Amino acid sequence: MFNIDLHCHSTASDGLLTPAQLVQHAATRGVEVLALTDHDEVGGLDEARRTAAEHGITLVNGVEISVSWRGQTVHIVGLGIDPDHPELAKGLMAIRNGRTVRARSIAAQLDNFGIHGSFEGACRNAGDGHLIGRMHFARFLVEQGYAKDVKAVFRHYLVKGKPGYAPHQWASLSDAVSWIRNSGGRAVIAHPGRYKLSKSALEELLLEFRALGGEAMEVVTGSHTPEQSLLFARHSQRLGLLASRGSDFHGPGESYFDLGRMPELPADCTPVWHDWKGTA
């Protein structure tokens, strides 16, 4: 069985490690197949690929696209994409531009709550030339003593009904799936257990995703409990969706699982990599 991790982040989006450091860390954890799936960004793939070649790791070109669906934010991972595909590149650029607008809205909300300097702090955490996400604000709030860690931040800030929440319109589900498919990739619903959806709404999301050409869902991922993994394994089998496995690793101390340390997929699932050369 290959050690496969198909969801992680670098400093190209909101991870703590550079693409090279991330791959080096994956190598120390015995990962053999790794997908770098930065938020709305593919700029770290070249560096990751060079480092992966040095360590004998197969790097899968990936991305995690932010989507608005019925007022909810959901994430769609693309695996095996062509990062230079014009349609995908144009779509991701539009989302990144929107991230800057949202960041200023988040900062304004925190400022109204009495937390000042968050935009500048988030920019420092993001680094020069990189997109700004909620994780960068979360790290600022930890630095300033408003929460003990980033997991606590997302219980008390930056989410709906809490200080620092800023609604935003991301890409449509149809656009995200189309960009991924047209660039040669496979579309995967990321961490479905995280979305606050009723059973009927979740079913509608999965059916719409499948109808649009989506092919897989994350069954084993960092934020899923064992019970959720079994639930989504059943969903994948029932709906004919492939099953993916990814830690959603952002960095040491910020993730539920280290790279390559998740449980295996349930035995009855068909892995998203079942037809990839050398991994079946």
Side-chain angles (χ1 to χ4, degrees), residues 41 61 108 133 196 223 234:
E41 176 62 79
N61 287 336
K196 299 185 188 306
S223 54
R234 292 194 293 271

Side-chain angles (χ1 to χ4, degrees), residues 16-31:
L16 288 174
L17 305 179
T18 67
Q21 292 169 336
L22 182 74
V23 173
Q24 290 163 1
H25 183 68
T28 67
R29 297 300 185 267
V31 175

Side-chain angles (χ1 to χ4, degrees), residues 123-155:
C123 288
R124 286 194 299 272
N125 285 325
D128 292 339
H130 292 139
L131 59 82
I132 304 173
R134 289 189 308 160
M135 188 67 80
H136 301 120
F137 282 95
R139 290 171 189 150
F140 167 81
L141 292 170
V142 172
E143 291 164 4
Q144 298 299 309
Y146 291 101
K148 66 176 182 177
D149 56 33
V150 296
K151 297 184 184 72
V153 169
F154 287 109
R155 290 194 294 270

